[in-house]
Amino acid sequence: MFAAIGYPKKVIKPQVDGSYLAMATTVGSVSQSPQADQQELFRRMVFNAMVGNDDDHLRNHGFNWTPRGWRLSPLFDVVPRPFRDIEDRRLNQGFGDQGNLCTVENFLSRSEVFALSRQEAQHLLNEMVASIRTHWMRIFKDSGVPDDDMEGFRATFSIVQVFSRS
């Protein structure tokens, strides 16, 4: 179930099967800006894979009420997991033809459900790879992550290299 924040008179209880594909369909039918929010959901899904967050269950996605209608809420509750093997990286929810397996091909396989062409989805993926590769270490250091823990996170973020070869 999605959380509905900021407008207590109406609760959104979509019937979803626990997949990003079902969430994208629900976002498309509920959001005031369906295409923008479906594309944002795609970005979050890819981001979760790149940072090793497999705690991406339905309660970690929600809607906020705005004066113009429902919108996908800001991203929250992201937990990067160090020491995850790239070959075994999976999300909690399915999103492509290969279920929840975090491969470029799987992310691109159902891009149309997120209001993206395959080429647009590849472009977004490339942008995220560049951003994470450039900024993750500085952000973690600025946030006070101890040097002893940085090596584990280096392994976590090495998946970016896999995504950038595609």
Side-chain angles (χ1 to χ4, degrees):
M1 175 171 73
F2 288 103
I5 301 168
Y7 193 73
K9 294 180 183 176
K10 182 177 181 183
V11 175
I12 299 171
K13 291 187 178 182
Q15 298 300 311
V16 294
D17 65 6
S19 75
Y20 276 103
L21 302 173
M23 279 199 312
T25 300
T26 299
V27 167
S29 66
V30 172
S31 173
Q32 180 65 31
S33 299
Q35 184 175 7
D37 282 349
Q38 287 172 312
Q39 291 174 3
E40 173 60 21
L41 185 62
F42 179 85
R43 285 182 190 90
R44 292 175 188 195
M45 178 180 69
V46 172
F47 181 78
N48 280 328
M50 288 186 187
V51 303
N53 177 36
D54 63 359
D55 187 37
D56 59 323
H57 54 80
L58 291 177
R59 290 185 183 213
N60 286 347
H61 301 277
F63 289 94
N64 287 339
W65 178 255
T66 72
R68 297 179 66 191
W70 293 105
R71 292 298 311 269
L72 195 60
S73 69
L75 181 63
F76 59 92
D77 199 16
V78 175
V79 182
R81 294 189 185 238
F83 313 113
R84 298 288 310 261
D85 291 332
I86 292 168
E87 296 80 19
D88 297 328
R89 185 89 43 109
R90 294 179 180 275
L91 293 177
N92 188 25
Q93 303 176 78
F95 55 85
D97 292 342
Q98 299 170 335
N100 64 351
L101 184 63
C102 296
T103 66
V104 171
E105 182 55 39
N106 200 29
F107 282 113
L108 301 180
S109 69
R110 300 295 301 277
S111 58
E112 75 282 353
V113 177
F114 299 91
L116 293 163
S117 69
R118 189 175 176 92
Q119 184 176 12
E120 291 168 328
Q122 180 70 63
H123 179 74
L124 286 177
L125 211 153
N126 292 344
E127 283 181 343
M128 294 179 74
V129 164
S131 180
I132 290 170
R133 180 186 294 141
T134 302
H135 302 292
W136 82 265
M137 191 176 294
R138 178 189 49 78
I139 291 169
F140 274 54
K141 285 185 181 234
D142 290 351
S143 298
V145 174
D147 289 340
D148 293 348
D149 292 340
M150 291 301 281
E151 195 56 38
F153 284 111
R154 186 180 319 281
T156 296
F157 290 110
S158 66
I159 196 170
V160 173
Q161 302 306 323
V162 173
F163 279 90
S164 65
R165 289 193 296 258
S166 300

